[in-house]
Amino acid sequence: MSLTEITLADLNPVAFIKDQCDAIAATVGGGIAVNALSGGVDSSAVTMLAHRALGSRLKTFFVDNGIMREGEPQRVVNILRQCGAAVELVDARDEFFDALKGKTDPEVKRQAITDTFYKAVFSRLVKQSGARHLLQGTIYTDVEETVAGIKRQHNILAQLGIDTAKEYGYTVIEPLIQLRKPAVRVVAKALGLPEEIYNRPPFPGPALVARVIGEATRERIALVRKATVVLEEVLAGVQAFQYMAILHNDRIPGMRDGKRDYGFQIEVRCWDSKDAVSATPTRLPFEVLEKLADRMTSEVPGVVSVTYNIASKPPSTMEAV
Ligand code: XMP
């Protein structure tokens, strides 16, 4: 790999931001560039860098796929707009739920989300924009994982189904490619992004679909979204790498108001981890677990069972899907 990492110790965020803004401005010239904002620290930092470099010649899209956490699309768009970036919120919820219809296998669900985003929605937005440059938040770790064969390659053009030979002149700009995540967080802070963005805990690309076992319908996503609100409120002060609420596929008997209630089960996972490669369940106090159970069963309609995962990764994975 010929790429050189800029380590956290070597990073001068002010100089880095200036260098990258100059490079983006030089590459794009008088043209237009586009990028997709997800609300994660990488895509938010890229949005701010390109906004500084290009101003109104940057078109940023936030695609609402319908599977994000409560209020997330509007919250992220508002934050970036407050930071000065012009972000267009694109409602693609129907397309994503249509693509997820009838799908239960975890990998098939993930593929449906990837295909809908790249092949259907984002490729349409890129074509309509008239841009000849795409900005992407690829980081150094992504490149390492690609070279090691852990993840498929990150070339967005191939994912968009664009033939680079035919689409001669189209360039991908990856301003963060020499940084690892801790360095990206420093740059994001120096770009003026708020802590809620630069210190964001990890959240998976397939969003709440990773937390629904079986078919991810609108109704089932709505249920796990509500459970996630409760979970994030109860565990807010807990020092953990990541926590999640998972909706199981099976319904099970419960009782409410003296009657049988055939209801839903929510599994809670809370992980201690350094790098997500291995993880152990956080030793949550029992009172916290009881609070989770009380609130989930009273505030999330139909939930009759709440369990806490006590298995480590491996052999578990952190997400359920
Ligand atoms: P697993 O479930 O593989 O998760 O133990 C490890 C870490 O990766 C996150 N994760 C994902 N992130 N797209 C993402 O952007 C994905 O498809 C995906 N799957 C898992 C997970 O949240 C955890 O932090």
Side-chain angles (χ1 to χ4, degrees):
M1 193 159 51
S2 58
L3 197 65
T4 326
E5 180 190 354
I6 301 174
T7 64
L8 190 55
D10 285 344
L11 176 72
N12 174 339
V14 175
F16 178 87
I17 290 167
K18 181 174 185 319
D19 289 350
Q20 293 306 322
C21 285
D22 291 349
I24 293 168
T27 307
V28 176
I32 290 170
V34 290
N35 78 312
L37 169 70
S38 70
V41 64
D42 305 340
S43 70
S44 300
V46 166
T47 301
M48 288 309 294
L49 276 172
H51 164 67
R52 278 200 191 183
L54 304 172
S56 61
R57 284 180 298 111
L58 173 71
K59 293 188 186 208
T60 298
F61 298 106
F62 185 104
V63 175
D64 182 358
N65 52 17
I67 55 177
M68 293 178 192
R69 284 172 291 185
E70 183 76 35
E72 180 111 333
Q74 205 55 61
R75 185 167 61 244
V76 171
V77 168
N78 287 346
I79 291 172
L80 270 289
R81 282 182 183 161
Q82 273 162 20
C83 290
V87 184
E88 188 179 328
L89 181 57
V90 178
D91 182 358
R93 289 174 293 181
D94 289 345
E95 271 171 282
F96 279 87
F97 281 114
D98 285 350
L100 286 164
K101 209 175 182 119
K103 300 197 167 71
T104 54
D105 179 87
E107 286 311 310
V108 173
K109 284 169 25 179
R110 282 167 180 268
Q111 193 63 46
I113 293 164
T114 305
D115 289 349
T116 306
F117 181 78
Y118 286 112
K119 292 194 182 143
V121 181
F122 194 49
S123 69
R124 186 170 66 232
L125 295 170
V126 172
K127 279 174 200 143
Q128 285 167 357
S129 74
R132 297 186 68 78
H133 304 272
L134 286 170
L135 284 129
Q136 209 186 341
T138 316
I139 66 170
Y140 193 77
T141 330
D142 297 332
V143 180
E144 276 183 326
E145 287 180 346
T146 304
V147 171
I150 296 169
K151 276 190 195 167
R152 66 194 140 174
Q153 56 122 347
H154 283 72
N155 184 337
I156 201 169
L157 294 177
Q159 285 175 336
L160 286 167
I162 291 171
D163 180 337
T164 45
K166 274 195 200 150
E167 299 279 338
Y168 176 69
Y170 222 118
T171 48
V172 176
I173 309 171
E174 296 174 311
L176 307 178
I177 203 154
Q178 290 174 278
L179 308 181
R180 288 180 195 273
K181 193 73 90 184
V184 177
R185 293 194 193 279
V186 170
V187 169
K189 185 176 181 185
L191 283 164
L193 285 160
E195 182 167 9
E196 123 172 56
I197 297 284
Y198 71 73
N199 256 345
R200 240 174 184 219
F203 193 71
L208 296 174
V209 169
R211 285 132 195 214
V212 169
I213 300 175
E215 190 179 354
T217 60
R218 281 173 196 275
E219 295 72 28
R220 304 189 77 226
I221 288 288
L223 199 143
V224 88
R225 180 179 287 128
K226 231 179 178 116
T228 302
V229 170
V230 171
L231 172 100
E232 293 190 344
E233 280 176 20
V234 175
L235 299 186
V238 167
Q239 291 295 315
F241 181 85
Q242 204 174 10
Y243 34 75
M244 56 201 68
I246 295 153
L247 174 62
H248 278 226
N249 205 16
D250 294 334
R251 281 186 161 220
I252 55 162
M255 55 185 295
R256 209 182 288 274
D257 304 327
K259 284 200 199 116
R260 181 184 150 99
D261 183 6
Y262 199 45
F264 303 112
Q265 347 180 26
I266 291 289
E267 175 188 336
V268 173
R269 296 184 179 189
C270 181
W271 296 110
D272 290 339
S273 178
K274 271 201 176 67
D275 50 14
V277 175
S278 62
T280 52
T282 307
R283 294 187 169 216
L284 291 176
F286 208 84
E287 305 78 66
V288 173
L289 295 172
E290 282 175 329
K291 195 167 191 178
L292 277 169
D294 286 347
R295 288 199 50 189
M296 294 272 181
T297 51
S298 58
E299 294 175 36
V300 188
V303 171
V304 296
S305 166
V306 182
T307 59
Y308 186 55
N309 171 67
I310 52 170
S312 295
K313 172 183 178 177
S316 179
T317 55
M318 296 173 79
E319 303 288 348
V321 166

